[in-house]
């Protein structure tokens, strides 16, 4: 027998780049960093939002971040005229459900033989999938630094990203022999009692010569006076200090989450699936940034663009988006206001109020978040005429109660963009009428800014599991749709009766 042919060969280079992005982006801070790396390589310039006189010029490429966990990137078309052009925005979210280290990480009792850390559930994860996985830690650590390295020097609190690349934590299942028949049937996780991971065994720690006490006496003397350190698992602090090559006593706080060390992989007999953590919603983040970068490399894209082409990746979608950097924050409205005003000030031809109102009317947000593909073993859970399949094209999500922002006109605009670019027809998703409907950032973008929006996404299985699955071809479908959006939106919008 000859070897089985793979039908996805053309799609694999993009899939591999996307998988590398997924593996590097183990938390929102790293997702923003991975995006910044792509943008910098393509010549995007960082803006300092705190500068009251930022410079933005026609034809320029820029980005800025907030809280290091949300990012705004944009290009200014050379044909853009303030008040007459709009913002073409692709929005997505950088966060995924995970277990975060509690503010007071120390959990172990003095008598316990296992050293554990306390964790908090972030978002609505399928927590049973976190058992028996090779878990590690990533996020950011705040360290106090003495700028001049002497006692009189000014102090500075630095933020360091950290990603530990080996499995140091585990949430073990309870052996089947120790469960009653009812417990086996239920497999119910108590989020407080059952999810705390094991970091080490106390006996092993003793063998290494590490003291059982929190930190050395010297460290304690230098402890950051507010008593923060005494509530932290000392072994965890030691690990962070050694990874970052800093003194333990310089650590003043952290924001860390657990992640699965297993790298993403191609799956299916024809290599037609990507199996990975955080596909919801890193797939959208990667495709949005890649589409913007690819467009800037196309001849004449920026030269002919009459708009601002923008990507906004928000943190905190999984917990409702109501934060200073989520989709319900003023981040996008402020971007539209400020960028159009800075560009307008050079021509000084439109009154500021008119400028914002007219710009919003001309603008459009493509909100991208992963969609539910038909699960063959649970087909009855899906509405029978709205069943997206993997590798069959992007999905438009609809809900008359506005859990999704898609309207008649915004849905038609996306279908027209796909049609004019010869892309696979868009699939349609809605939930059964006896089932609750999820939501995403589209309705929040629309309600906070007044900008029209459509909700789309790549179809996937196992949403919110520690390991999810999507179609390899849908990465290509998504990238092509996003590029076509930036290229064709204006002409499609102009051809539609408003
Ligand atoms: Zn999502």
């Amino acid at each position: 027998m000859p070897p089985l042919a793979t039908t996805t060969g053309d799609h694999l280079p993009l899939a591999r780049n996307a998988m590398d992005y997924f593996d590097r982006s183990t938390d929102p801070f790293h997702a923003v960093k991975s995006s910044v790396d792509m943008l910098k390589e393509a010549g995007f310039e960082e803006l300092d939002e705190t500068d009251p006189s930022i410079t933005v010029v026609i034809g320029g490429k820029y980005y800025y971040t907030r809280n290091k966990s949300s990012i705004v990137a944009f290009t200014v078309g050379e044909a853009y005229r303030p008040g007459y052009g709009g913002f073409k925005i692709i929005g997505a979210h950088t966060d995924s459900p995970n277990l975060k280290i509690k503010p007071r990480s120390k959990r172990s009792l003095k008598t316990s033989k296992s050293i554990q850390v306390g964790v908090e559930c972030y978002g609505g994860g399928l927590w049973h999938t976190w058992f028996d996985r090779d878990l590690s830690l990533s996020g950011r650590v705040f360290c106090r630094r003495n700028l001049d390295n002497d006692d009189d020097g000014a102090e500075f609190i630095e933020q360091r990203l950290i990603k530990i690349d080996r499995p140091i934590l585990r949430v073990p299942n309870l052996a089947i022999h120790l469960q009653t028949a009812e417990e086996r049937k239920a497999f119910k996780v108590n989020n407080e009692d059952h999810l705390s991971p094991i970091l080490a065994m106390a006996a092993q720690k003793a063998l290494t010569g590490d003291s059982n006490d929190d930190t050395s006496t010297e460290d304690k003397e230098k402890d950051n006076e507010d008593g923060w350190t005494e509530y932290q698992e000392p072994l965890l602090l030691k690990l962070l200090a050694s990874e970052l090559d800093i003194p333990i006593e310089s650590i003043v706080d952290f924001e860390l989450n657990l992640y699965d060390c297993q790298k993403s992989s191609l799956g299916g007999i024809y290599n037609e699936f990507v199996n990975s953590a955080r596909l919801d919603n890193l797939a959208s983040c990667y495709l949005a940034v890649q589409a913007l970068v690819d467009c800037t490399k196309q001849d004449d894209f920026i030269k002919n663009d009459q708009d601002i082409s923008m990507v906004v990746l928000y943190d905190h979608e999984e917990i409702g988006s109501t934060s200073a950097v989520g989709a319900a924050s003023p981040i996008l409205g402020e971007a539209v206001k400020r960028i159009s005003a800075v560009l307008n000030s050079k021509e000084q031809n439109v009154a500021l109020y008119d400028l914002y109102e007219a710009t919003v009317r001309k603008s459009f947000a493509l909100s991208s978040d992963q969609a539910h593909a038909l699960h063959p073993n649970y087909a009855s859970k899906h509405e029978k005429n709205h069943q997206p399949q993997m590798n069959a094209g992007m999905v438009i999500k609809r809900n008359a109660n506005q859990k999704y922002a898609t309207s008649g006109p915004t849905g038609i605009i996306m279908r027209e963009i796909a049609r004019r670019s010869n892309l696979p027809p868009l699939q349609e998703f809605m939930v059964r009428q006896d089932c609750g409907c999820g939501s995403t950032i589209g309705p929040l973008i629309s309600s906070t800014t007044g900008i029209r929006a459509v909700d789309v996404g790549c179809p996937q299985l196992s949403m919110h599991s520690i390991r999810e699955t999507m179609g390899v071809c849908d990465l290509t479908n998504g990238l092509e749709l996003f590029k076509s959006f930036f290229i064709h939106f204006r002409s499609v919008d102009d051809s539609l009766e408003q």
Side-chain angles (χ1 to χ4, degrees):
M1 273 292 280
L4 277 171
T6 50
T7 52
T8 54
D10 292 349
H11 302 273
L12 294 186
L14 175 68
R16 292 214 164 87
N17 285 342
M19 287 158 67
D20 180 52
Y21 179 96
F22 304 154
D23 291 339
R24 284 185 288 131
S25 307
T26 47
D27 57 69
F29 312 114
H30 281 88
V32 165
K33 183 181 180 301
S34 305
S35 306
V36 166
D37 290 345
M38 291 166 71
L39 293 163
K40 270 189 175 161
E41 204 185 308
F44 281 65
E45 202 180 304
E46 183 170 14
L47 291 175
D48 176 5
E49 271 199 290
T50 62
D51 177 359
S53 55
I54 53 164
T55 309
V56 175
V57 298
I58 296 286
K61 302 182 282 187
Y62 307 95
Y63 73 90
Y64 56 89
T65 67
R66 283 198 190 174
N67 187 44
K68 298 187 189 296
S69 64
S70 293
I71 180 166
V72 177
F74 63 97
T75 61
V76 184
E78 288 182 18
Y80 173 75
R81 287 172 59 215
Y84 298 90
F87 282 58
K88 297 176 297 201
I89 303 142
I90 301 183
H93 65 89
T94 56
D95 60 322
S96 303
N98 63 57
L99 298 175
K100 287 192 188 298
I101 302 290
K102 283 181 175 171
R104 292 181 169 182
S105 59
K106 189 156 43 170
R107 187 170 192 276
S108 314
L109 303 169
K110 279 250 181 300
T111 49
S112 172
K113 303 287 186 221
S114 300
I115 298 168
Q116 294 178 277
V117 286
V119 292
E120 178 182 12
C121 296
Y122 175 86
L126 289 175
W127 301 123
H128 63 273
T129 64
W130 285 69
F131 284 74
D132 295 345
R133 305 297 303 185
D134 296 355
L135 302 174
S136 192
L137 277 179
S138 82
R140 66 178 166 185
V141 176
F142 300 86
C143 342
R144 195 187 307 278
R145 218 156 50 91
N146 181 325
L147 283 180
D148 297 333
N149 246 347
D150 66 61
D151 289 344
D152 303 326
E155 283 190 333
F156 175 71
I157 293 177
E158 185 183 32
Q159 299 187 31
R160 297 274 302 271
L161 292 196
I162 187 165
K163 177 168 173 284
I164 295 165
D165 284 325
R166 62 196 176 92
I168 53 166
L169 293 162
R170 195 161 192 91
V171 185
N173 259 303
L174 180 64
I176 195 163
H177 318 85
L178 304 182
Q179 299 181 38
T180 64
E182 289 77 55
E183 282 169 339
R184 281 202 291 272
K185 229 181 185 169
F187 187 60
K188 231 173 154 242
V189 179
N190 179 297
N191 292 351
E192 181 63 33
D193 296 336
H194 301 151
L195 286 170
S196 297
I198 298 171
L199 182 63
M201 295 305 294
Q204 196 63 31
K205 185 183 166 196
L207 280 176
T208 64
D210 283 348
S211 85
N212 257 345
D213 201 35
D214 296 0
T215 44
S216 69
T217 320
E218 193 190 345
D219 288 342
K220 266 192 165 170
E221 277 167 13
K222 290 181 185 167
D223 184 8
N224 25 60
E225 292 138 31
D226 61 1
W228 178 84
T229 308
E230 75 177 276
Y231 296 103
Q232 306 308 326
E233 170 50 48
L235 210 48
L236 174 65
L237 294 185
K238 255 182 195 158
L239 174 76
L240 298 177
S242 110
E243 284 286 323
L244 295 173
D245 194 20
I246 52 172
I248 290 178
E249 64 273 17
S250 73
I251 300 175
V252 295
D253 211 340
F254 51 64
E255 288 176 81
L256 298 169
N257 64 238
L258 275 56
Y259 78 92
D260 187 352
C261 278
Q262 187 181 1
K263 298 230 182 297
S264 45
S265 62
L266 292 169
I269 201 162
Y270 298 115
N271 276 345
E272 70 262 54
F273 303 124
V274 170
N275 306 316
S276 173
R278 303 173 298 280
L279 290 175
D280 171 16
N281 189 20
L282 292 181
S284 298
C285 292
Y286 171 75
L287 294 173
V289 175
Q290 191 64 58
L292 188 61
V293 164
D294 282 357
C295 282
T296 63
K297 290 179 180 163
Q298 278 186 20
D299 288 347
D300 294 343
F301 170 74
I302 291 188
K303 193 162 166 250
N304 296 331
D305 196 6
Q306 300 170 38
D307 298 297
I308 310 289
S309 295
M310 176 176 270
V311 168
V312 187
L313 308 180
Y314 301 95
D315 195 0
H316 296 148
E317 190 275 343
E318 298 293 356
I319 50 165
S321 296
T322 49
S323 73
V325 292
S329 75
I331 189 166
L332 178 59
E334 287 173 359
V336 171
K337 244 181 226 158
R338 193 164 184 195
I339 295 163
S340 59
V342 167
L343 289 159
N344 184 52
S345 67
K346 300 216 170 63
E347 299 187 18
Q348 293 183 338
N349 52 1
V350 183
L352 274 188
Y353 179 81
D354 290 333
L355 172 71
Y356 183 65
E357 299 298 308
T359 303
V360 163
R361 293 283 86 72
K362 283 275 198 180
S363 299
F364 188 97
L366 188 171
S367 150
S368 180
D369 201 351
Q370 295 288 92
H372 299 295
L374 175 71
H375 192 312
N377 299 345
Y378 296 91
S380 64
K381 289 282 182 187
H382 298 256
E383 203 281 343
K384 65 177 189 294
N385 288 319
H386 300 80
Q387 302 187 335
Q389 301 280 352
M390 286 187 288
N391 286 323
M394 296 290 280
V395 178
I396 296 190
K397 305 179 210 177
R398 295 187 198 257
N399 179 265
N401 299 296
Q402 291 295 296
K403 297 280 187 189
Y404 298 126
T406 310
S407 66
T410 64
I412 288 169
I413 285 172
M414 288 318 295
R415 283 165 52 199
E416 273 298 292
I417 288 170
R419 190 180 68 83
R420 291 189 193 184
S421 304
N422 293 318
L423 302 179
L426 300 181
Q427 307 190 77
E428 295 272 355
F429 173 79
M430 70 172 294
V431 289
R432 284 173 58 101
Q433 293 307 295
D434 56 1
C435 173
C437 183
S439 190
T440 180
I441 58 174
L444 294 168
I445 289 175
S446 282
S447 57
T448 52
T449 63
I451 293 174
R452 297 166 286 166
V454 65
D455 274 303
V456 303
C458 299
Q460 72 158 81
L461 294 173
S462 312
M463 195 176 287
H464 290 194
S465 165
I466 198 166
R467 205 157 170 86
E468 305 172 328
T469 296
M470 70 177 288
V472 160
C473 307
D474 292 325
L475 288 166
T476 311
N477 293 330
L479 182 64
E480 293 304 320
L481 184 70
F482 291 0
K483 285 196 291 191
S484 300
F485 168 68
F486 285 136
I487 294 165
H488 297 301
F489 167 76
R490 181 54 56 212
S491 66
V492 171
D493 196 36
D494 287 348
S495 69
L496 184 76
E497 185 185 342
Q498 300 291 328

